């Protein structure tokens, strides 16, 4: 009791006493667990130059640690990808398949079954971490059907979440469950800067006797691509890269790609070039945020005990295969993302080519916190040993799964009737970026002997796309009809294995298990054409 009374008389002494208590009693006399910071951008590509404007970020995180050069997402769209980050699961296990409530994005079912087992909830409940979230959560967060902004997911001590999708001005935040409306005054409302300010305040006033986990989820570089005023004229001459797939017709690809017009209209090219510049401009504020957070950690003496992850929820394309701007496709520009990490024990200026996926972020963060991943339901693997230089002694995966279930209703777009029913995300020249049967699953394989991608569509064609990424890095030639049949069968088999995996079975390091027996009835809920074809192949 005397110690408690003394604490009230001296906050400084109190902080020291409590810190000693936690270090000796809670953590067994060891120094405090590492802090963890996850910086998540929105739609930041790596294939078409998205990291180029982020000079401070590359210096302060990448050069100070490790850059993973083969990092991919389990689904190339915001909501399912973010669900995979939070749960460490593939979409077929967390069941968030697209950005709609019907696709389980922030639905009551998601809240009931998945939110309690996200890694932030586990960090807070089992590992003694104080937790902070600021920014975009899931696309349908805050809608009335999803419980409104009053809903604060379990696991968060401090909650500053954006209602619905990315914006820069004129938005509403849920501040620990209460609405905070923002207008269009740059100094008070520009969202990237608001998130930075919330983050600075947390680092200044948080409890110093506990380790912390922070997740800062910026709107940039997602549309509407609104930059801060000081950056509005940056990069005046920059254009989208004219790589070999730019403005090229995907004649051997699935129907949604084949419907794109080549060459693109001048208006589409101008639009995508302008979007590309605007995306870069929004990233300059992200660069400032990263610099401010790193400096704050350094000033407080906490930088050396903090892991900092910088990544994105999916990639992006600007003109590849004559699609103006979006994600949602199976190609490298959409599924490959940046991943930079610095932290205790990570040597500077490293690059790592191992195949890492966003389902691995949760397991890695739990591993850092000292929690046994085997106790979780996660599909991913911890890449902590890869960061600590133990990669040569680690058995690691050679392939992973990409899944996407297209959006769109089974009706025609009145402005584009010739395209038929089900298209979505259409441009004025009737080039559409998505459709209800833009539903596919892929195996992406990177090993010493193979660099391949194999994809199957659940559409009327049961279309297959296969790419040899070694000789065709821009995925110009679909070799599905010319590849060796045995290789095709093995890749098909591995895809079926991954699409029915759960937890430990998703972490198999091998490419193909000849003894695996697969029941295709486990794969699909809606028994489309792909299901029926696979059923015939397997049962006959």
């Amino acid at each position: 009791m005397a110690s408690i009374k003394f604490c009230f008389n001296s906050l400084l002494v109190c902080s020291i006493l409590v810190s000693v208590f936690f270090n000796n009693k809670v953590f067994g006399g060891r120094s405090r667990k590492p802090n963890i910071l996850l910086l998540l951008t929105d739609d930041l590509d790596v294939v078409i130059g998205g990291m180029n404007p982020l000079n401070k970020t590359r210096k302060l995180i990448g050069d100070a640690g490790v850059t993973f050069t083969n990092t991919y997402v389990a689904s190339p769209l915001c909501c399912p990808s973010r669900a995979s980050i939070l749960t460490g699961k593939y979409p077929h296990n967390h069941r968030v398949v697209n950005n709609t409530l019907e696709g389980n994005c922030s639905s009551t079912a998601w809240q009931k079954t998945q939110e309690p087992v996200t890694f932030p909830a586990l960090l807070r409940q089992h590992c003694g971490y104080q937790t902070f979230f600021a920014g975009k959560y899931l696309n349908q967060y805050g809608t009335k059907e999803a419980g409104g902004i009053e809903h604060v997911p379990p696991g968060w001590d401090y909650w500053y979440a954006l209602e619905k999708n990315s914006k820069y001005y004129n938005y509403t935040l849920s501040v620990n469950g209460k609405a905070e409306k923002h207008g269009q005054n740059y100094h008070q409302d520009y969202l990237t800067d608001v998130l930075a300010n919330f983050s600075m305040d947390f680092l200044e006033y948080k409890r110093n006797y506990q380790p912390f986990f922070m997740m800062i989820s910026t709107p940039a570089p997602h549309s509407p691509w609104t930059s801060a005023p000081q950056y509005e004229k940056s990069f005046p001459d920059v254009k989208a890269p004219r790589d070999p797939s730019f403005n090229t017709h995907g004649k051997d690809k699935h129907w949604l790609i084949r419907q794109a017009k080549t060459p693109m209209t001048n208006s589409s090219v101008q639009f995508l070039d302008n979007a590309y510049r605007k995306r870069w401009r929004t990233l300059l504020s992200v660069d400032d945020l990263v610099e401010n957070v790193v400096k704050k950690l350094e000033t407080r003496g906490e930088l050396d005990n903090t892991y900092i992850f910088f990544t994105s929820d999916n990639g992006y394309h600007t003109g590849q295969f004559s699609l103006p701007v979006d994600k949602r496709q199976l190609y490298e520009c959409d599924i490959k993302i940046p991943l930079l990490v610095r932290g205790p024990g990570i040597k500077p200026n490293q690059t790592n080519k191992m195949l890492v996926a966003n389902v691995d972020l949760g397991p890695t963060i739990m591993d850092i916190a000292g929690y046994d991943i085997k106790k979780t339901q996660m599909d991913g693997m911890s890449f902590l040993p890869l960061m600590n230089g133990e990669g040569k002694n680690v058995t690691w995966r050679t392939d992973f799964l990409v899944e996407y279930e297209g959006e769109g209703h089974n009706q025609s777009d009145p402005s584009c009737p010739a395209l038929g029913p089900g298209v979505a995300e259409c441009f004025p020249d009737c080039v559409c970026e998505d459709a209800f049967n833009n539903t596919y699953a892929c195996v992406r394989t990177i090993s010493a002997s193979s660099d391949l991608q194999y994809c199957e569509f659940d559409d009327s064609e049961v279309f297959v796309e296969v790419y040899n990424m070694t000789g065709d890095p821009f995925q110009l030639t679909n070799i599905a009809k010319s590849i060796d049949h045995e290789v095709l069968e093995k890749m098909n088999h591995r895809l079926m294995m991954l699409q029915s995996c759960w937890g430990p079975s998703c972490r198999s390091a091998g490419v193909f298990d000849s003894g695996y027996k697969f029941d295709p009835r486990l794969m699909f809920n809606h028994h489309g054409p792909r299901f029926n074809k696979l059923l015939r192949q397997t049962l006959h």
Side-chain angles (χ1 to χ4, degrees):
M1 291 297 294
S3 295
I4 295 175
K5 291 179 180 178
F6 183 69
C7 284
F8 280 104
N9 295 326
S10 174
L11 292 176
L12 177 61
V13 175
C14 174
S15 177
I16 293 172
L17 288 175
V18 174
S19 178
V20 170
F21 172 80
F22 266 78
N23 281 331
N24 287 318
K25 298 297 182 183
V26 178
F27 299 129
R30 294 180 288 111
S31 60
R32 200 183 73 187
K33 294 180 180 181
N35 306 310
I36 306 165
L37 168 59
L38 173 58
L39 292 154
L40 180 64
T41 53
D42 195 349
D43 287 1
L44 177 59
D45 64 274
V46 68
V47 171
I48 58 173
M51 289 297 296
N52 290 357
L54 292 164
N55 294 320
K56 299 171 185 176
T57 300
R58 286 185 280 114
K59 178 182 178 181
L60 293 171
I61 304 178
D63 293 352
V66 56
T67 299
F68 287 89
T69 58
N70 285 311
T71 307
Y72 293 84
V73 294
S75 188
L77 190 63
C78 300
C79 202
S81 179
R82 289 163 183 267
S84 286
I85 290 171
L86 290 164
T87 63
K89 298 177 183 178
Y90 284 121
H92 70 263
N93 285 329
H94 62 59
R95 297 308 305 150
V96 178
V97 295
N98 55 41
N99 283 346
T100 65
L101 274 173
E102 296 79 11
N104 204 29
C105 180
S106 203
S107 68
T108 53
W110 153 267
Q111 293 171 14
K112 181 178 180 180
T113 63
Q114 300 303 318
E115 282 187 341
V117 293
T118 60
F119 78 81
L122 299 177
L123 280 177
R124 185 173 182 267
Q125 182 178 359
H126 298 293
C127 303
Y129 277 73
Q130 55 187 317
T131 55
F132 168 94
F133 180 88
K136 175 178 172 179
Y137 179 56
L138 301 177
N139 296 57
Q140 299 298 327
Y141 173 76
T143 59
K144 182 178 179 180
E145 299 86 347
I149 60 172
E150 295 81 11
H151 172 69
V152 177
W156 299 103
D157 293 304
Y158 304 89
W159 179 254
Y160 304 91
L162 177 67
E163 180 186 35
K164 299 182 181 178
N165 206 359
S166 281
K167 290 184 177 180
Y168 299 83
Y169 293 110
N170 299 309
Y171 55 85
T172 298
L173 293 177
S174 171
V175 178
N176 298 316
K178 295 182 179 180
E180 181 178 287
K181 294 186 180 296
H182 285 259
Q184 50 189 9
N185 182 309
Y186 167 68
H187 298 287
Q188 298 176 1
D189 302 313
Y190 188 69
L191 182 54
T192 305
D193 292 352
V194 169
L195 301 182
N197 293 336
F198 281 137
S199 302
M200 295 300 104
D201 287 345
F202 170 74
L203 290 173
E204 183 68 29
Y205 300 111
K206 63 179 174 56
R207 299 182 293 275
N208 290 329
Y209 57 85
Q210 274 183 282
F212 64 81
F213 169 71
M214 299 179 70
M215 183 171 178
I216 308 172
S217 181
T218 72
H222 195 285
S223 62
W225 314 307
T226 308
S227 65
Q230 65 269 32
Y231 298 132
E232 286 178 350
K233 296 183 179 180
S234 301
F235 313 117
D237 301 320
V238 165
K239 294 183 178 180
R242 268 51 172 175
D243 62 38
S245 64
F246 181 85
N247 210 2
T248 299
H249 194 265
K251 58 183 180 299
D252 59 357
K253 294 172 171 45
H254 65 100
W255 76 270
L256 188 61
I257 305 300
R258 297 197 303 268
Q259 57 88 32
K261 297 177 175 65
T262 306
M264 290 183 285
T265 62
N266 290 336
S267 60
S268 286
V269 174
Q270 291 173 4
F271 178 83
L272 69 87
D273 278 336
N274 191 39
Y276 192 88
R277 283 189 293 272
K278 287 182 175 181
R279 283 165 53 80
W280 273 27
R281 291 166 182 162
T282 67
L283 287 169
L284 294 177
S285 293
V286 176
D287 220 24
D288 292 339
L289 182 156
V290 171
E291 180 183 42
N292 290 336
V293 170
V294 171
K295 284 185 176 180
K296 187 71 170 180
L297 288 167
E298 187 173 27
T299 300
R300 293 183 57 84
E302 296 179 302
L303 182 59
D304 291 342
N305 193 40
T306 302
Y307 285 91
I308 304 177
F309 296 76
F310 180 90
T311 190
S312 176
D313 57 359
N314 48 255
Y316 209 70
H317 59 253
T318 52
Q320 281 64 42
F321 305 116
S322 298
L323 295 177
V325 295
D326 199 49
K327 50 266 186 174
R328 307 169 204 259
Q329 303 303 325
L330 58 91
Y331 308 108
E332 290 285 278
C333 46
D334 288 9
I335 65 172
K336 194 170 186 178
I337 56 170
L339 177 60
L340 286 59
V341 192
R342 68 172 291 169
I346 302 178
K347 296 179 181 178
N349 297 305
Q350 289 189 82
T351 58
N352 190 296
K353 297 181 181 180
M354 302 298 275
L355 185 57
V356 174
N358 64 348
V359 294
D360 300 329
L361 286 168
T364 302
I365 290 170
M366 295 307 299
D367 197 9
I368 289 171
Y371 191 78
D372 186 356
I373 303 166
K374 294 178 182 178
K375 295 180 180 179
T376 73
Q377 303 170 14
M378 295 179 179
D379 303 331
M381 304 169 66
S382 169
F383 54 85
L384 179 60
L386 303 183
M387 298 192 296
N388 290 340
E390 303 171 19
K392 294 181 180 179
N393 302 317
V394 175
T395 301
W396 196 252
R397 71 157 68 85
T398 53
D399 52 17
F400 83 103
L401 176 67
V402 180
E403 302 175 293
Y404 179 62
E405 185 170 307
E407 295 181 19
H409 299 286
N410 196 9
Q411 59 191 37
S412 297
D413 186 326
S415 61
C416 304
L419 292 176
V423 293
E425 306 295 324
C426 297
F427 282 79
D429 49 3
C430 290
V431 173
C432 300
E433 296 275 1
D434 203 5
F436 77 99
N437 65 348
N438 180 36
T439 297
Y440 58 83
C442 303
V443 178
R444 184 69 176 88
T445 300
I446 298 178
S447 67
S449 59
S450 302
D451 192 354
L452 299 168
Q453 185 180 27
Y454 174 90
C455 301
E456 294 181 3
F457 281 80
D458 191 29
D459 60 14
S460 59
E461 296 179 296
V462 196
F463 203 78
V464 176
E465 295 189 33
V466 184
Y467 298 98
N468 177 359
M469 304 299 296
T470 303
D472 183 19
F474 295 98
Q475 296 167 289
L476 300 176
T477 304
N478 178 9
I479 59 173
K481 295 181 179 179
S482 61
I483 194 172
D484 183 271
H485 189 68
E486 182 180 357
V487 175
L488 203 65
E489 284 187 346
K490 287 184 177 181
M491 297 182 78
N492 166 267
H493 198 177
R494 182 57 176 158
L495 176 61
M496 292 190 291
M497 290 169 62
L498 282 170
Q499 272 210 290
S500 60
C501 76
W502 181 87
S505 63
C506 298
R507 299 193 286 268
S508 169
V511 175
F512 177 66
D513 178 2
S514 60
Y516 183 84
K517 301 300 181 183
F518 174 71
D519 181 353
R521 286 168 289 196
L522 300 173
M523 286 182 65
F524 302 110
N525 291 331
H526 51 287
H527 292 193
R530 181 172 167 234
F531 169 85
N532 293 323
K533 179 183 178 182
L534 290 169
L535 188 65
R536 290 194 299 270
Q537 290 175 342
T538 308
L539 301 182
H540 294 284

